Amino acid sequence: MKKSISDKLEQLSRRLADLDAQLASEDATHDRDNYRKLTREHAEIAPVVELYRAYRGAEQDIRSSQELLADPEMKDLAEAEIAARREDLARLEGELQKALLPRDPNDERNLFLEIRAGTGGDESALFAGDLFRMYSRYAERQGWRVEVISHNPSDLGGYKEVIARVIGFGAYSRLKFESGGHRVQRVPATETQGRIHTSACTVAVLPEADEVDDVVITPAEIRIDTFRASGAGGQHINKTDSAVRIAHLPTGSVVECQDDRSQHKNKAQALSVLAARIKDKQVREQAARTAAERKSLIGSGDRSERIRTYNFPQGRVTDHRINLTLYKIDQIMDGDLDELIEALAAEHQAEQLAQLAEESA
């Protein structure tokens, strides 16, 4: 094991001992926010330190067995033990390298899913509806909940824009690589000559901020308008100014919410979406600064970047970032995304491991 890695593991071992002492103190729970932070950090560090202790234990077993090599009666047993424990060392070192990879602090969060029709007119809007159903079906398979925050349906079906909140532990970790341009190639229902059309939608996956307070939004930076909601919802929703539009003046971001009858709830939902957008912008700017010299293999996640093509006539889905093509378009459109998501996560992990190896060299 490289010294830089073992030094980091020793540091984590000391930190775990410090956390154990703090959490065991009588006044540990007096500050609830700090207590939650400490327990969260403890839960993150403990499995890594446990692996490190197993690694050191295997090293000690090898040293003990090497002392028995001089004894003719114990030599064969000692050699077998040394070989077995060296295999354990190799396995544990690989697990430790993965455990030391930087964690995305947003992985466990809920998320906001934003899908917008792009080039292709009505066909693009229909595809936006198909994408929303795909992600909704995937969320259902995971046991997550999907709440529509705002939607703008098109005349022929689908959505010009739809924003939803996906609620479930680890939702962001699974869907965070979905941001970007999604292209569809198929024969539209309105096409009389059977020609294949190409349309596109953009998808944005934003981690939900803990609270609106997690992002500083001053009253002077926003403009809040209320208006009468349109569309389905019964008489009440159309007779009161329950819909809310919030504009964030520094960034130009505008969020509308009118799906609830309560103006207060619509305002809270809109502020949550706005906070997530601002937080996402801050994270992306920071990532651009720190990774200017190294672009992730799975792409930047830029909304304008084409990441995937759905070709219906050939029954295939291709993710261009990792050159993966799957001939199971019906299953994927029905929410069977695990193979795609796991391949993207594996590629991301491989890139992180390569970077860790470079830093440790």
Side-chain angles (χ1 to χ4, degrees), residues 246-258:
I246 300 180
H248 187 243
L249 304 179
T251 62
S253 182
V254 178
V255 181
E256 288 187 7
C257 188
Q258 58 176 303

Side-chain angles (χ1 to χ4, degrees), residues 118-125 198-200:
T119 56
D122 290 330
E123 171 62 11
S124 177
T198 298
S199 304

Side-chain angles (χ1 to χ4, degrees), residues 10 15 40-41 46 78 114 118 124-125 130 136 158 215 239 276 289 351:
E10 287 290 346
R15 177 56 180 164
R40 188 182 299 124
E41 185 181 359
E114 303 184 358
S124 177
D130 292 339
S136 297
V215 175
K239 291 186 176 180
R289 288 192 294 268
E351 171 70 4

